[in-house]
Amino acid sequence: MGQNMQCNRIGTRRKLIFAFVLGGILSFFYVAGYGLERDNSLDLTEKVFYLKWILGAFPAAGILHALWELTDRYGDRIGKAALWRRVKFILPDWLCVAILLICWLPVWLSIFPGAFAYDAFTEWEQFRDGMITSHHPVLHVLLLGGTVEGMYHLTGSYNAGIAVYTFLQMLILANVFVRTLKFMEEFQLPDIFRWFALCFYGLSPVSQLFAVSTTKDVLFSAALLIFLLNLIRFCCQRKEFFLHRGQMISFGLSAFFSMILRNNGLYIVVIILAVMLAAGGEYRKKLALIAAGICLAYGVYVGPCYRILQVTPGGIEEMLSVPLQQMARVHKYDYDSLERQDLELLYRIVPKEDLDSYRSTVSDFVKKGFQRENFQDYKKEFFSLWLKWGMQHPLTYVNSFLINTVDFWYPGAVVDGYQDEYGRSSYFDYRVSIPGEEMSFLPGVHGYYERISFDPEMQKVPFMSLLLSPGWYLVMVMVIFSRWWRNRKYTFMIPGLIFLLTMLTVLPGPMALVRYVLIFYYAFPVWLAFFLCDEHFSGY
């Protein structure tokens, strides 16, 4: 009895520690995020800030602890509820695909031939001119540019090429989402979650808008979603996973495409493969062969394939977004304290006019005139200067990083990194850039999605904010995975690395955009079902 009491005390202590740690993190998100949204700066020397942070941690910890306790107590009853079990999902796969396409059709017709925005113009231009760089995924450049140019030569219309590419992407994405529904059936989750997932994928503004967007992030996130599902199979059904050749092939292909469709996908997959090998146990040799095959395919892709296509390296400045933003902020707010020789060195690499165009939420304006050759000549001096200014202006550096990333982690943030002079936000780049020409067949629908994309107030509407905010999805993922970690349910820790590594690889990026974290949206129905139906995985 004494030993049981001691175990209970340790368990209670562990639960409280997890609640307070996560509560402290969430309190920081809200207190710091609110200050950054209001003032575009955070006074980290102000004692009131830390007081608010500490005071906010207590109610946050209490709510988390209560939520986790309720889920622990009643979670196993949710999946067994008679009402839910009476709900049946009887739709065939082809009909689910058709329903998703029908749900997305009004958005497509509102901005026909498709939202040709973000980096789409640059990718098409690279293909047209035959000057492909590794800054954008080469496969996506070939797919997008080849389709647009190919249809132009056949029909004389660039819109035809954009429309064909958009439809093919919608078809691929719909089939990937239906694979998610089949995955829920495979794990015998209540059918009500499949209905929810179908509605979420079909009606969520994020799913709708990005289904018709030609940005590379859509196909990348679709591949990453399949990779995630395969990771869950590996963790939950390891023996069956290695006996099922189709699952191993799906795992290898989804890993490979995740690596090549966005540059940060390489780091995500490689780190996860390393963790899987460490935790592979008796299946380590088989897993090593799969990993070797994936790496070999990637090596052929970036080696011989790149040489055949004459792919040139992307700009080094893309990896320097955070340092350049930090130094530009120091240049703007602490200019009088800077030494002349330091400024002369910086101007050799970043022209003064670009530093003067600094905007706190996006680094593109600072990077646009980056002198690559001069950087190579003064690389050591540049990083020495960056460290020197960081030691002299640490709070300015911290503020720069927080402001540049706040839209990712603060649930109340308005995503508006490219905010224009009229105050319009940039939640979604809802336009058709050249060489396409926008044709709106549903003006009323166009006005609705234009408001979502450009009106900051739309992101503040209570229910709409839950659907749109990246911060909300990050918080929900943290709450779900922290509960499993707290309860020593380590089954999903490896799949959970996808979300951790996604955030770690996008935080140093040029700005906070929804398209960088689409996997949080696409995977949400799966994690919600797992969170509410623990009993399905108690034996794994």
Side-chain angles (χ1 to χ4, degrees):
M1 182 179 294
Q3 187 175 3
N4 290 336
M5 290 179 63
Q6 184 179 5
C7 291
N8 290 335
R9 284 197 298 270
I10 294 173
T12 302
R13 188 186 310 147
R14 179 183 175 86
K15 292 178 178 180
L16 291 175
I17 290 173
F18 269 78
F20 272 105
V21 169
L22 184 57
I25 294 173
L26 298 186
S27 176
F28 175 84
F29 284 178
Y30 277 89
V31 175
Y34 177 79
L36 291 168
E37 284 286 302
R38 183 189 60 191
D39 303 324
N40 201 34
S41 181
L42 200 61
D43 188 355
L44 296 172
T45 63
E46 187 182 38
K47 294 180 180 179
V48 175
F49 165 75
Y50 296 98
L51 179 61
K52 291 179 180 178
W53 181 4
I54 294 171
L55 292 178
F58 285 95
I63 293 172
L64 285 170
H65 184 69
L67 174 63
W68 287 338
E69 288 295 304
L70 286 172
T71 311
D72 290 346
R73 183 173 300 179
Y74 298 107
D76 61 339
R77 303 181 188 178
I78 294 176
K80 299 176 183 178
L83 176 62
W84 287 21
R85 288 298 179 183
R86 285 198 294 268
V87 177
K88 298 299 180 182
F89 191 90
I90 57 175
L91 303 181
D93 293 351
W94 67 267
L95 184 56
C96 293
V97 170
I99 289 172
L100 290 176
L101 293 176
I102 291 170
C103 289
W104 299 339
L105 182 61
V107 193
W108 189 23
L109 294 178
S110 75
I111 191 168
F112 193 84
F116 195 74
Y118 295 114
D119 299 319
F121 168 79
T122 304
E123 293 187 38
W124 162 75
E125 190 177 42
Q126 285 188 9
F127 182 89
R128 182 198 62 185
D129 299 338
M131 303 289 291
I132 302 176
T133 74
S134 60
H135 172 57
H136 299 295
V138 174
L139 178 62
H140 193 262
V141 171
L142 297 176
L143 289 174
L144 178 62
T147 304
V148 173
E149 277 296 300
M151 291 302 297
Y152 173 73
H153 288 297
L154 286 174
T155 65
S157 169
Y158 281 116
N159 272 14
I162 296 172
V164 168
Y165 176 86
T166 303
F167 178 75
L168 290 176
Q169 177 181 274
M170 291 166 63
L171 194 60
I172 293 171
L173 190 62
N175 276 278
V176 169
F177 286 158
V178 171
R179 287 279 299 274
T180 303
L181 304 185
K182 295 294 290 183
F183 176 83
M184 292 182 178
E185 181 185 24
E186 175 187 335
F187 278 84
Q188 298 180 346
L189 289 162
D191 282 0
I192 192 170
F193 289 109
R194 296 166 69 191
W195 283 110
F196 169 76
L198 183 64
C199 293
F200 180 83
Y201 291 137
L203 302 177
S204 166
V206 174
S207 297
Q208 294 173 329
L209 286 167
F210 280 98
V212 303
S213 172
T214 57
T215 178
K216 58 198 174 189
D217 303 272
V218 176
L219 293 183
F220 164 71
S221 300
L224 198 60
L225 178 60
I226 298 298
F227 182 57
L228 172 66
L229 302 184
N230 286 315
L231 279 178
I232 297 174
R233 290 190 180 102
F234 168 80
C235 292
C236 293
Q237 302 172 340
R238 194 163 302 185
K239 183 178 180 179
E240 293 81 357
F241 177 84
F242 286 102
L243 291 175
H244 198 298
R245 183 174 297 179
Q247 289 187 3
M248 289 190 288
I249 294 174
S250 175
F251 174 81
L253 289 175
S254 61
F256 174 70
F257 283 110
S258 296
M259 294 168 76
I260 68 174
L261 285 172
R262 265 198 71 90
N263 293 330
N264 66 318
L266 170 64
Y267 307 111
I268 294 172
V269 173
V270 167
I271 293 174
I272 288 177
L273 287 177
V275 174
M276 291 175 69
L277 284 169
E282 60 183 301
Y283 301 101
R284 190 170 293 143
K285 290 183 178 179
K286 293 182 179 180
L287 188 57
L289 289 175
I290 297 174
I294 295 169
C295 293
L296 177 62
Y298 181 79
V300 172
Y301 173 77
V302 299
C305 291
Y306 271 29
R307 284 194 293 272
I308 292 171
L309 296 169
Q310 298 181 330
V311 177
T312 58
I316 187 64
E317 66 271 18
E318 301 302 327
M319 301 176 65
L320 299 173
S321 295
V322 170
L324 290 174
Q325 279 291 87
Q326 291 171 331
M327 297 176 81
R329 189 174 181 86
V330 171
H331 180 270
K332 178 173 183 177
Y333 292 108
D334 302 292
Y335 180 83
D336 294 337
S337 67
L338 305 179
E339 299 177 10
R340 183 177 182 84
Q341 61 269 28
D342 291 341
L343 290 171
E344 290 175 353
L345 170 63
L346 183 59
Y347 293 159
R348 290 192 185 103
I349 300 170
V350 184
K352 185 178 186 301
E353 56 268 24
D354 294 337
L355 291 167
D356 289 338
S357 65
Y358 164 79
R359 288 168 63 171
S360 61
T361 55
V362 55
S363 65
D364 290 354
F365 299 96
V366 174
K367 294 186 303 183
K368 63 183 178 182
F370 186 83
Q371 303 296 306
R372 298 176 187 174
E373 293 183 1
N374 288 348
F375 173 76
Q376 294 299 330
D377 294 336
Y378 296 97
K379 185 184 299 184
K380 182 178 179 181
E381 291 82 358
F382 172 83
F383 285 113
S384 296
L385 179 60
W386 174 63
L387 290 172
K388 175 183 175 181
W389 283 9
M391 295 177 67
Q392 294 174 347
H393 309 278
L395 298 184
T396 304
Y397 271 30
V398 172
N399 257 305
S400 174
F401 179 76
L402 292 176
I403 294 170
N404 213 53
T405 61
V406 63
D407 292 348
F408 281 140
W409 46 264
Y410 173 46
V414 173
V415 181
D416 61 352
Y418 275 114
Q419 189 178 66
D420 63 20
E421 64 270 22
Y422 302 107
R424 299 200 313 173
S425 67
S426 58
Y427 184 87
F428 178 80
D429 203 356
Y430 190 69
R431 62 190 174 92
V432 181
S433 61
I434 57 174
E437 183 178 350
E438 182 177 319
M439 302 170 63
S440 180
F441 299 105
L442 298 173
V445 177
H446 184 279
Y448 171 71
Y449 286 104
E450 191 174 43
R451 288 196 300 275
I452 291 177
S453 302
F454 300 126
D455 185 358
E457 296 304 316
M458 284 293 287
Q459 296 184 50
K460 299 176 183 178
V461 176
F463 179 71
M464 186 67 74
S465 66
L466 294 176
L467 292 173
L468 299 179
S469 171
W472 274 114
Y473 290 89
L474 174 62
V475 167
M476 285 186 281
V477 165
M478 293 175 70
V479 169
I480 290 171
F481 279 91
S482 294
R483 172 178 171 255
W484 284 328
W485 189 6
R486 182 195 76 154
N487 293 352
R488 294 186 173 91
K489 294 183 178 181
Y490 301 122
T491 302
F492 297 115
M493 291 300 103
I494 293 179
L497 286 175
I498 284 182
F499 302 98
L500 174 62
L501 294 172
T502 295
M503 289 306 302
L504 291 179
T505 53
V506 301
L507 287 176
M511 65 181 301
L513 288 174
V514 174
R515 65 186 179 100
Y516 294 161
V517 290
L518 274 179
I519 186 61
F520 283 81
Y521 297 79
Y522 288 175
F524 172 65
V526 178
W527 291 127
L528 181 64
F530 285 177
F531 182 65
L532 295 176
C533 298
D534 270 355
E535 86 283 357
H536 284 273
F537 313 100
S538 58
Y540 299 129

